[in-house]
Structures are given as structure tokens and as C-alpha cells.
């Protein structure tokens, strides 16, 4: 039973693999079952900063030790941290809050390298610098400890998905098993069933290939609503090539780096057919995940920016129609844009309480593991 002092007001900050901007969410929580969701915000990066982040993915390939910051990565980390801090300041001003109103910030940072097979994961983000500037405790670097205990270091949101599943409205609560699908740059799935352990893994590319494809061929950051895809047709040879990747056929699921899947060659598809095929691949990758669950989900709850791509949603609906139904987070009373940021707020409070963030069924860690580094002002 949580006491008043266990309840913390936390802010979560997420800059995901799409590298489109900073999502922020505020929560009051005991880091367990009590979750009072508060206000949130999304702050897009300007195109020039996004380009710097994209370039950082190349630079980061030379990193051997987690603390290495080759070339301009140290400067970028400081800039990224300051942008996050400024986002918090703007949010607090908007909400009429002071720094002292916030107990802790959960700071994800920006993943620039993720090599689970080498137990190496690098998130740019200087928690100490942020804590000092804001005068608020910051929990950061939440993935690394999991890796030292044999985990994949990702995904970390699943335990929060389970907490949300426990609070679903009555009309949905009976529809178990339920799968939460975050369609971000990469997609990850969480399987929640009272009859079985919590299961989760990265399911494949989400929007990252689509984003890169339309940026390259149309100069735009994403396929809004799936409008471009809706003009194209699925090129089955190309789709099958992606879906035959060893990532899908391996028995063990591994967590993904943004660069694990690469774009089709320019002459393999036109703009529309490429967008259509990559949306199909994104949905098919999610549907394939079912093979790793004890039973097929009855309810699929979609979160992340990809839920706005009508073609991905339609393809997934078709692929799962015999066993379940697909809804977006908002139909379950949740917020599909802020869920990851909420999770980082919740995980930060769990870290303060020494509670597990990851489980054998979510990251493959040997035993339930806490994590995160606490920086104090
Ligand atoms: N209206 C829209 N129509 C289609 N796609 C959209 C729309 N809005 C956002 N997206 C897609 O969602 C992406 C951002 O999603 P999100 O913020 O969930 O990803 P992320 O958190 O960066 O990634 P990850 O979850 O992998 O860390 C955009 O890059 C874009 O591809
Ligand atoms: C290493 C890393 O940053 N992985 C991200 C990425 O984006 C989606 C998917 O791949 C997931 O594994 C993870 O993020 C979410 C927030 C997670 O850890 O749950």
C-alpha cells in the first residue's frame, strides 16, 4: 500500500529513434500501480539539429566504450541536454510550476548506438548537467545496468504498459491477452496476460524506413497519415526480402539499433510503392511477433507516431482480424504521443525506490533488475 510519501511527481523526457523531437510528460506515481497522468508536451527539433543527430549515428559507430564521445559528440551531448532542460523550463512556466514542485526527472537521452550482442548501448544525455541547471534530481542512463546483467537494454517501457493494462476501462479489461504496440522509429510490443509472465521485445522497423524513404525521395520528414503509401502498391519481392531477415527467423529476439535495417536501393521502388511496401513491412513485422506469444492477443493497443499512418493500421488490422481487434491508445483513454515519456517518469520513480525496471521476459535479463543513475543538483 503506497503512502503519501511514496507518491512522487515526476517528469519523463523521451527523444526516440525517430529523432523528431522531445516528448515530455508529467506523472504522479508510486512507481507501481498508482499512476495519475498529467500534462505533456512535444517539442520538435529543427531540421538542422535533426541532421546533426543523424550524423551522430555515423560518428557513434566508432564507439567501443560507453563513455567515448568521439569528434563532436561531447558538444552534441551538451546541446541535446540543454535543449531538454529548456523544454522542462518552458513546460514548468506554462503549467505555473516551480522546480521544487518536481521530485525527479527521468531522462532517456538520445540513443546513438545500440549493440546488445556486445553489451554496448549509448544514450547521449548528461544527467548531471541537467540536474545542475534545473535544480531537480535526474535519473538517467536507465538501459546500461540491464545489459551488465545479460539483458538487451531494451525495451524498458513494457513494465509501464503492464501498469497501464491494470487500469484499463472495464469494457476493455476483459479483452486479454492485450498487446501494446509502440510504433516509433522502431516498433516494440508488450504482451500482457494475467495467465503468463510479462513478455516484450522489439518487433522490427516502425517508421524509420518510411521516414528515411520519403525524406530521400520527397524531401519531407514523414508520410503524414500514410497518404503517400495509400497511392502505392505492395512490392511483394521487396517486402519478402525484409521479412526474411534473420532478425525475424532467429529464435531469440534481439533489440534493434536504428541502423539494423536499411533503405531499399533508389531503383527498387518509386516513392509511393516504396512507402506502401515499407508500411506493409512495418505491420507484418508486428503481426509476426504473435508467433512468440503463448496466445494471440485479443486486443492490440497502438501507441507512438506510427498509429497515425492509416496504412500501417489497416494492414495490421487485416493481419490480426481472425484473433483480435486493433485500437489506438486514445480509444483506451491513454495518450499515444506521451506514453514513452510517461514511462520514463514512472521508471525514474521506480529507480529511486530500487524497484525492477526490466524482467527476464522483457529484456532477457537474468533476474528482475533495477537501473538508472541518480544525479543531484
Ligand atoms: N500524422 C502522422 N502520420 C504518419 N506518421 C506520423 C504522423 N505523426 C508522426 N508520425 C510518425 O511517427 C514518428 C514519431 O513517432 P514517435 O515519436 O512515437 O517515435 P520515437 O519515440 O522517436 O521512436 P521510438 O519509439 O522508436 O524511440 C515520426 O517520425 C513519423 O514517422
Ligand atoms: C536502444 C533504444 O533506444 N531502443 C528503443 C528503440 O525505440 C523503440 C525500441 O527501439 C525500444 O527498444 C527502445 O525504446 C523504448 C522506449 C523502450 O525502451 O521501451
Amino acid at each position: 500500500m503506497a503512502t503519501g510519501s511514496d507518491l512522487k511527481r515526476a517528469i519523463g523526457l523521451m527523444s526516440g529513434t525517430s529523432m523528431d523531437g522531445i516528448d515530455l510528460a508529467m506523472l504522479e506515481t508510486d512507481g507501481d500501480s498508482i499512476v495519475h497522468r498529467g500534462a505533456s508536451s512535444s517539442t520538435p527539433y529543427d531540421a538542422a539539429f535533426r541532421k546533426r543527430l543523424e550524423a551522430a549515428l555515423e560518428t557513434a559507430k566508432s564507439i567501443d566504450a560507453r563513455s567515448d564521445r568521439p569528434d563532436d559528440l561531447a558538444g552534441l551531448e551538451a546541446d541535446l541536454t540543454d535543449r531538454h532542460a529548456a523544454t522542462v523550463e518552458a513546460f514548468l512556466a506554462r503549467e505555473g510550476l516551480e522546480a521544487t514542485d518536481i521530485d525527479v526527472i527521468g531522462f532517456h537521452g538520445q540513443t546513438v548506438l545500440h549493440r546488445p550482442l556486445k553489451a554496448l548501448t549509448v544514450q547521449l544525455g548528461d544527467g548531471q548537467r541537467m540536474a545542475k541547471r534545473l535544480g531537480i534530481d535526474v535519473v538517467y542512463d536507465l538501459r546500461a545496468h540491464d545489459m551488465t546483467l545479460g539483458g538487451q537494454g531494451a525495451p524498458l517501457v513494457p513494465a509501464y504498459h503492464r501498469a497501464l493494462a491494470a487500469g484499463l476501462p472495464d469494457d476493455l479489461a476483459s479483452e486479454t491477452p492485450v498487446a501494446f504496440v509502440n510504433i516509433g522509429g522502431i516498433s516494440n510490443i508488450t504482451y500482457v496476460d494475467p495467465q503468463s509472465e510479462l513478455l516484450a521485445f522489439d518487433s522490427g522497423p516502425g517508421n524509420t524506413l518510411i521516414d528515411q524513404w520519403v525524406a530521400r525521395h520527397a524531401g519531407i520528414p514523414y508520410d503524414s497519415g500514410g497518404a503517400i503509401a495509400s497511392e502505392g502498391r505492395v512490392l511483394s519481392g521487396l517486402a519478402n526480402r525484409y521479412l526474411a531477415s534473420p532478425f525475424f527467423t532467429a529464435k531469440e529476439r534481439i533489440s534493434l539499433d536504428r541502423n539494423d535495417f536499411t533503405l531499399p536501393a533508389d531503383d527498387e521502388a518509386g516513392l509511393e510503392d516504396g512507402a506502401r511496401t515499407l508500411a506493409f513491412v512495418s505491420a507484418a513485422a508486428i503481426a509476426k511477433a504473435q508467433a512468440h506469444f503463448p496466445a494471440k492477443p485479443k486486443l492490440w493497443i497502438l501507441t507512438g507516431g506510427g498509429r497515425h499512418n492509416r496504412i500501417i493500421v489497416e494492414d495490421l488490422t487485416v493481419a490480426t482480424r481472425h484473433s483480435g481487434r486493433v485500437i489506438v491508445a486514445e480509444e483506451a483513454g491513454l495518450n499515444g504521443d506521451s506514453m514513452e515519456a510517461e514511462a520514463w517518469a514512472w521508471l525514474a520513480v521506480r529507480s529511486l525506490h530500487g524497484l525492477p525496471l526490466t524482467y527476464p521476459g522483457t529484456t532477457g535479463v537474468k533476474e528482475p533488475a533495477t537501473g538508472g543513475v541518480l544525479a543531484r543538483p
Side-chain angles (χ1 to χ4, degrees):
M1 169 73 80
T3 63
S5 63
D6 290 332
L7 271 189
K8 305 257 185 230
R9 190 187 263 171
I11 282 178
L13 292 168
M14 168 55 69
S15 179
T17 49
S18 299
M19 306 194 303
D20 56 338
I22 300 167
D23 292 326
L24 176 157
M26 188 166 66
L27 283 188
E28 263 182 22
T29 181
D30 60 349
D32 191 19
S33 56
I34 301 176
V35 178
H36 303 300
R37 293 185 295 118
S40 59
S41 69
S42 288
T43 309
Y45 292 134
D46 53 86
F49 189 70
R50 204 170 161 155
K51 278 218 151 39
R52 277 178 75 197
L53 290 178
E54 277 166 18
L57 301 183
E58 284 306 310
T59 311
K61 285 181 180 166
S62 69
I63 293 180
D64 286 320
R66 296 191 57 248
S67 56
D68 288 353
R69 295 292 182 267
D71 297 342
D72 60 344
L73 288 195
L76 181 61
E77 181 164 45
D79 190 347
L80 179 107
T81 303
D82 291 346
R83 284 168 186 258
H84 279 72
T87 299
V88 174
E89 286 163 352
F91 177 81
L92 293 178
R94 194 188 83 188
E95 296 297 316
L97 294 167
E98 304 287 334
T100 48
D101 294 321
I102 306 300
D103 295 305
V104 66
I105 291 175
F107 179 27
H108 177 267
Q110 182 67 52
T111 298
V112 289
L113 186 74
H114 188 66
R115 295 269 182 269
L117 298 176
K118 290 183 170 173
L120 179 62
T121 187
V122 181
Q123 283 73 48
L124 294 186
D126 182 342
Q128 191 61 60
R129 182 181 175 100
M130 179 181 285
K132 203 166 159 205
R133 167 161 165 177
L134 295 176
I136 303 173
D137 286 355
V138 174
V139 174
Y140 69 113
D141 212 6
L142 285 96
R143 300 188 186 277
H145 183 60
D146 175 83
M147 278 190 158
T148 66
L149 297 176
Q152 295 277 321
L156 265 63
V157 170
Y160 182 64
H161 287 155
R162 179 169 61 182
L164 290 180
L168 283 176
D170 290 346
D171 57 323
L172 299 179
S174 58
E175 293 186 55
T176 57
V178 57
F180 284 78
V181 188
N182 163 46
I183 313 176
I186 292 166
S187 293
N188 56 286
I189 297 200
T190 304
Y191 175 88
V192 186
D193 184 355
Q195 314 301 323
S196 95
E197 68 166 334
L198 181 65
L199 291 175
F201 45 81
D202 287 355
S203 53
N207 304 297
T208 181
L209 294 174
I210 302 168
D211 288 357
Q212 291 175 64
W213 182 256
V214 300
R216 187 173 173 90
H217 295 280
I220 53 175
Y222 59 89
D223 180 11
S224 182
I228 296 174
S230 71
E231 302 287 314
R233 65 193 173 92
V234 177
L235 305 176
S236 52
L238 181 59
N240 289 338
R241 199 183 79 214
Y242 278 103
L243 296 170
S245 153
F247 171 77
F248 296 108
T249 49
K251 201 159 170 283
E252 297 291 314
R253 303 312 307 252
I254 61 156
S255 56
L256 287 167
D257 183 88
R258 189 181 188 268
N259 284 331
D260 283 343
F261 287 89
T262 49
L263 275 187
D266 286 351
D267 61 0
E268 276 188 289
L271 169 67
E272 294 84 0
D273 289 350
R276 180 70 188 85
T277 303
L278 293 171
F280 173 80
V281 168
S282 178
I286 294 164
K288 264 178 178 286
Q290 299 182 94
H292 298 267
F293 297 146
K296 291 190 171 170
K298 287 213 181 81
L299 183 66
W300 298 79
I301 300 178
L302 306 188
T303 85
R307 78 193 188 289
H308 298 302
N309 184 319
R310 185 171 60 80
I311 303 300
I312 299 179
V313 178
E314 281 176 12
D315 282 354
L316 182 63
T317 302
V318 168
T320 58
R321 68 188 180 284
H322 296 304
S323 49
R325 69 189 183 100
V326 176
I327 63 173
V328 293
E330 287 68 17
E331 292 173 82
L334 302 170
N335 182 334
D337 290 322
S338 64
M339 199 180 289
E340 288 186 336
E342 290 168 26
W344 245 254
W346 186 82
L347 291 166
V349 175
R350 284 183 81 78
S351 173
L352 290 182
H353 291 326
L355 293 169
L357 314 183
T358 55
Y359 296 85
T362 65
T363 62
V365 67
K366 284 201 222 69
E367 57 200 46
T370 190
V373 176
L374 173 62
R376 300 210 120 114

